[in-house]
Amino acid sequence: MSYIENVLEQLEQKNPGQPEFIQAASEVLNSLKPVFERHPEFEQAALLERITEPERVVMFRVPWVDDNGNVQVNRGMRVEYNSAIGPYKGGLRLHPSVNLGIIKFLGFEQIFKNALTTLPMGGGKGGSDFDPKGKSDMEVMRFCQSFMTELCKHIGPNTDVPAGDIGTGAREIGYMFGQYKRIRNEFTGVLTGKGLEWGGSCTRTEATGYGLVYIVNEYLKSKGENFDGKTVTISGSGNVAIYAVQKAQQLGAKVVTVSDSTGWVYDKNGIDVALLQQIKEQERGRISEYAERKSGVEYHEGRGVWQIPCDIALPCATQNELLIDDAKQLIANGCKIVAEGANMPTTLEATQELQQNGVVFLPGKAANAGGVAVSGLEMSQNSERLSWTCEEVDAKLKTIMKNIFAQIDSAAKEYDCEGDYVKGANIAGFMKVAKAMMAQGIV
């Protein structure tokens, strides 16, 4: 049994009931075989055993009182995974599906995603099984204050800098920051995704969606192409999806689908971004309302976005949403590029099917790194007590995504897997963290 196979077997034994984490670890570690052939010193230093085990896991109860005066209790957690290249950095997810396995998978992915940005950020993730949907502002505030009362003991601008994620938007970040400031009696850049008036960064809301489109555009440019005239299908209708739609259409593409947890729409004339923003951002409505308000739009319940013919597919909803049958449908319909806007939205089987059939695949740890990249830029602005213009931040984001594509392309070529951007991303991100860990000794 090889070193990598042995580590994966141990992981499965030590982490039962955590399929998302095992999936993420398997995908990364199996990409690293050529690295360990060239660097036997990594095995001698037990680098994989160390990098797959979080440096710290904090779990805690979150009691809060609902509007009816009833006490509710949720579970909160923060996985501080790896700090070899900087403070832990990663979002806080508020969703009923949150459990330790999902947070570990997200935190593990975050290590390499953050490394690819070239900014000094380690990997971490956190959240709670609290569901903000259907809750009043006062209920959300009481939950966030209770959550931060415990979390504030473990984070700080030079230790761990959380951000938003699914269920954690500007409202939730604001409540959490207010409680942190109240308890710690300090105004620091401890959270990113803050409001522009109190330390936030321009373009943070748009960053993941914009960055996704920018990295796809870098690939297209490397082949002498661009987005002009391309048909794009997108899943999801949160920040990532909305701003991927907006940027792709600004660059000349026609985006024809978006979705939410209840269903999806097909708009053959191209998604109306303003209407989508009104329904999802302002009214917090369902995607079915888009079809009700715009003529000629088809609404379908359940899944089905990937059956629509397209040139480029951008999964932007949640993990494991693009299955092997979806991959086969995309291939049959002539899709040329799949780029992940969400975290691990494509199953391993679907990824392999796409790659084996010549579809260019840009994995999430590279393609959706724009959000954490701008979070890193927000940290820099907070440290300097400065704020940059939207044009400045957008220019920096473009440069970061350009550099990420260059890194993953170069790593794939260096390790004899040209065009395999999954391996390229894993190797490039891993090598930066590995070198830092080796330099810092057995810690």
Side-chain angles (χ1 to χ4, degrees):
M1 184 181 293
S2 73
Y3 172 52
I4 288 174
E5 290 170 338
N6 185 52
V7 171
L8 284 171
E9 184 177 284
Q10 291 178 23
L11 279 181
E12 290 185 20
Q13 293 172 356
K14 291 171 65 177
N15 300 280
Q18 297 181 10
E20 295 87 359
F21 170 61
I22 297 301
Q23 179 183 340
S26 298
E27 188 254 302
V28 172
L29 269 58
N30 283 321
S31 297
L32 299 177
K33 290 176 182 176
V35 172
F36 281 82
E37 290 171 2
R38 296 191 193 182
H39 295 278
E41 70 274 16
F42 290 171
E43 180 178 349
Q44 294 166 7
L47 211 59
L48 289 184
E49 290 91 336
R50 290 158 57 199
I51 207 167
T52 53
E53 191 69 32
E55 293 176 6
R56 189 175 296 104
V57 176
V58 181
M59 297 185 71
F60 51 94
R61 70 171 181 240
V62 187
W64 56 281
V65 181
D66 67 22
D67 288 343
N68 295 319
N70 299 316
V71 177
Q72 305 290 338
V73 180
N74 287 98
R75 174 178 287 174
M77 61 190 75
R78 185 71 177 170
V79 175
E80 296 176 330
Y81 226 111
N82 190 288
S83 59
I85 62 174
Y88 309 107
K89 187 84 190 77
L92 296 169
R93 177 170 295 192
L94 303 182
H95 193 272
S97 66
V98 164
N99 58 46
L100 183 58
I102 285 177
I103 296 301
K104 283 176 65 179
F105 126 62
L106 293 167
F108 183 70
E109 289 275 295
Q110 202 77 42
I111 301 169
F112 310 106
K113 181 190 301 185
N114 292 357
L116 287 172
T117 69
T118 71
L119 299 172
M121 301 182 294
K125 205 76 176 184
S128 172
D129 56 4
F130 172 80
D131 189 356
K133 286 185 179 178
K135 304 292 193 304
S136 71
D137 287 348
M138 292 302 293
E139 287 176 321
V140 172
M141 183 184 75
R142 288 191 287 268
F143 166 82
C144 289
Q145 289 178 339
S146 180
F147 182 80
M148 183 52 74
T149 297
E150 176 61 32
L151 186 64
C152 74
K153 303 170 187 175
H154 311 285
I155 63 175
N158 298 309
T159 303
D160 185 351
V161 184
D165 194 78
I166 293 172
T168 307
R171 173 182 61 171
E172 291 76 17
I173 291 292
Y175 292 149
M176 290 181 191
F177 183 82
Q179 186 74 348
Y180 181 91
K181 181 166 63 77
R182 179 186 188 189
I183 295 172
R184 299 290 292 266
N185 191 29
E186 61 183 31
F187 194 112
T188 60
V190 69
L191 289 165
T192 56
K194 301 184 291 297
L196 288 176
E197 302 82 3
W198 42 283
S201 175
C202 269
T203 316
R204 176 59 190 91
T205 303
E206 301 90 342
T208 308
Y210 280 15
L212 172 64
V213 173
Y214 289 153
I215 198 169
V216 174
N217 201 41
E218 284 302 315
Y219 169 78
L220 290 170
K221 284 163 59 178
S222 74
K223 303 299 180 183
E225 300 180 48
N226 55 46
F227 266 99
D228 197 38
K230 301 283 194 299
T231 298
V232 179
T233 53
I234 290 179
S235 64
S237 53
N239 280 348
V240 182
I242 289 171
Y243 293 102
V245 173
Q246 185 182 76
K247 184 55 66 175
Q249 295 194 157
Q250 286 176 1
L251 295 180
K254 181 169 71 172
V255 182
V256 294
T257 66
V258 285
S259 67
D260 64 15
S261 58
T262 59
W264 57 284
V265 295
Y266 170 54
D267 187 343
K268 64 182 179 181
N269 296 314
I271 296 295
D272 183 331
V273 176
L275 177 58
L276 181 62
Q277 288 176 308
Q278 181 181 338
I279 293 169
K280 301 303 291 187
E281 293 185 334
Q282 299 170 26
E283 302 171 8
R284 303 190 185 211
R286 309 308 301 178
I287 203 64
S288 57
E289 297 171 37
Y290 181 93
E292 293 168 6
R293 298 190 201 181
K294 189 179 179 191
S295 61
V297 176
E298 299 176 18
Y299 172 72
H300 303 268
E301 291 186 352
R303 308 175 63 253
V305 163
W306 311 121
Q307 68 187 261
I308 302 298
C310 66
D311 301 299
I312 300 169
L314 305 177
C316 298
T318 190
Q319 66 263 15
N320 292 328
E321 56 159 302
L322 200 162
L323 310 177
I324 189 162
D325 288 343
D326 302 317
K328 290 176 179 177
Q329 187 72 67
L330 287 168
I331 293 162
N333 287 336
C335 178
K336 300 294 190 296
I337 302 170
V338 173
E340 296 185 311
N343 291 302
M344 204 171 72
T346 314
T347 65
L348 287 176
E349 296 79 13
T351 300
Q352 291 164 1
E353 183 75 14
L354 291 165
Q355 291 182 304
Q356 288 167 5
N357 285 275
V359 177
V360 174
F361 189 86
L362 294 166
K365 61 175 61 69
N368 72 24
V372 74
V374 173
S375 285
L377 297 178
E378 182 176 331
M379 290 168 64
S380 297
Q381 293 171 79
N382 291 166
S383 296
E384 296 183 84
R385 296 290 194 270
L386 296 174
S387 60
W388 299 328
T389 66
C390 292
E391 291 76 15
E392 287 176 304
V393 175
D394 191 49
K396 292 177 188 293
L397 173 61
K398 282 182 183 175
T399 299
I400 288 170
M401 300 312 295
K402 180 179 181 179
N403 290 340
I404 289 175
F405 179 73
Q407 287 179 73
I408 66 176
D409 186 52
S410 175
K413 291 173 179 174
E414 181 182 349
Y415 284 87
D416 304 319
C417 51
E418 182 173 354
D420 188 334
Y421 299 121
V422 173
K423 289 182 179 177
N426 289 333
I427 291 170
F430 174 80
M431 286 300 294
K432 181 174 181 180
V433 179
K435 289 176 181 178
M437 290 177 70
M438 293 294 288
Q440 293 168 24
I442 308 300
V443 295

